[in-house]
Amino acid sequence: MHVAVSEKLTSLQVMQDAPVIPVIVLNDVKHAVPMAKALVAGGIRMLEITLRTSVALECMRVIANEVPGAVVGAGTVRSAADAKAAADAGARFAVSPGYTSAVGKACRDLGLSLLPGVATGSEIMMAQEDGYNELKFFPAMQAGGPNLLKAWGGPFTDVKFCPTGGVSPENASQLLALSNVVCVGGSWLTPSDLMAKGDWAKITELAKQAAAFSR
Ligand code: 3PG
């Protein structure tokens, strides 16, 4: 799929681009550009940079400016202020660990596509009330994994999920085989030790493996 740089993304485009959305924790701005280039070289370009470190926004800015093949997303978006800061830093999509209407409204006002986090039927219904049918299931493996996704397939036939949390190369295929799963999220593509060592080739290799998962 080709998404033009200026095009407004839909949540489904974010989810369909590759089988895995990397959940990235950056502690050093110097790692941002080589990390993003390494993932893009491996075929992964929807990058969820979590708002968990003091340098996260600066990392988004440099990736958005210097890695044209990457699409910057913000993870751990928990408030309207987080969404605004992320959009200002160049994020084009947002991922939240839970869902509030305030976060949904902020993202719509900012033109950010949002993958709202849900873990219960009530949360799915609240997100759907606000128009969201493509959702992050978090924390996926801790909260019920494939069995819960299969159960949700009954009542929530119109919802697609990105399970995230406890997902690994070992269990990703089982999740991706489910009809209501479009992609998965996980942190294994960008381990902190590889980034600290600057082993970008290994990150490209992990990205290639992830991009090759069938779904
Ligand atoms: C997170 O929020 O940290 C993500 O869900 C990633 O979880 P993981 O480290 O289990 O992949």
Side-chain angles (χ1 to χ4, degrees), residues 91-206:
R92 297 179 58 204
F93 68 93
V95 185
S96 56
Y99 181 67
T100 67
S101 287
V103 166
K105 181 176 185 318
C107 288
R108 287 194 299 281
D109 289 349
L110 291 159
L112 276 180
S113 78
L114 172 67
L115 294 181
V118 298
T120 68
S122 299
E123 290 161 7
I124 294 171
M125 288 162 65
M126 284 188 271
Q128 286 201 284
E129 274 182 6
D130 289 350
Y132 294 99
N133 297 308
E134 288 87 31
L135 308 174
K136 166 177 166 164
F137 169 28
F138 175 78
M141 297 310 286
Q142 297 87 339
N147 287 337
L148 186 50
L149 284 158
K150 280 182 208 157
W152 279 342
F156 299 114
T157 48
D158 49 351
V159 179
K160 300 291 183 200
F161 295 97
C162 170
T164 305
V167 181
S168 66
E170 288 70 43
N171 61 21
S173 299
Q174 189 192 2
L175 292 160
L176 289 165
L178 300 173
S179 58
N180 57 353
V181 171
V182 178
C183 67
V184 299
S187 62
W188 80 87
L189 274 63
T190 52
S192 55
D193 58 330
L194 291 187
M195 290 207 274
K197 277 193 289 187
D199 193 346
W200 312 119
K202 178 69 184 170
I203 288 177
T204 295
E205 194 184 307
L206 291 170

Side-chain angles (χ1 to χ4, degrees), residues 1 20 46 53 58 74 88 102 128 137 147 158 165 175 188 213:
M1 176 183 305
V20 182
M46 297 288 162
T53 63
E58 182 57 17
D88 287 348
Q128 286 201 284
F137 169 28
N147 287 337
D158 49 351
L175 292 160
W188 80 87
F213 284 140

